[in-house]
Amino acid sequence: MDRKEFENLMSVYFGEVVVRNNDNAKWVVEEYAFVEGKYELMVNKGLLSMSIDNWFNEPCNKKHNLLFRQYNRYFK
């Protein structure tokens, strides 16, 4: 498994952790607003919908704890 595949799978794992630990969170698939026929995987909780993307290469992830911070910020 290469790094990109691992990071994509970790993003999906993050979504599953959110759904399993929040009673009103759920998986949703929505079509992009500006690109016809393209869809994105999201986690939805109330008014919040968060795209399940690859966050590991973000510049603000130097400590490699971005997923933990995202969970605490939006779903705790």
Side-chain angles (χ1 to χ4, degrees):
M1 172 182 315
D2 65 4
R3 180 183 175 121
K4 182 176 174 130
E5 184 179 2
F6 173 76
E7 291 172 354
N8 287 334
L9 292 172
M10 285 302 296
S11 296
V12 173
Y13 177 77
F14 170 78
E16 186 63 19
V17 168
V18 169
V19 170
R20 287 187 184 207
N21 290 293
N22 291 274
D23 292 333
N24 56 346
K26 61 185 177 185
W27 287 103
V28 293
V29 176
E30 293 184 6
E31 188 171 13
Y32 279 106
F34 303 106
V35 181
E36 189 175 325
K38 188 171 182 179
Y39 298 87
E40 79 183 312
L41 180 62
M42 304 177 88
V43 173
N44 176 278
K45 180 182 176 187
L47 297 175
L48 172 71
S49 290
M50 179 180 282
S51 176
I52 300 300
D53 287 350
N54 180 1
W55 294 313
F56 284 34
N57 289 326
E58 294 289 325
C60 61
N61 196 22
K62 290 180 181 176
K63 295 181 182 177
H64 301 287
N65 64 358
L66 180 61
L67 292 178
F68 179 71
R69 291 190 322 242
Q70 293 280 31
Y71 183 87
N72 285 334
R73 182 176 183 188
Y74 297 110
F75 299 107
K76 195 164 189 181

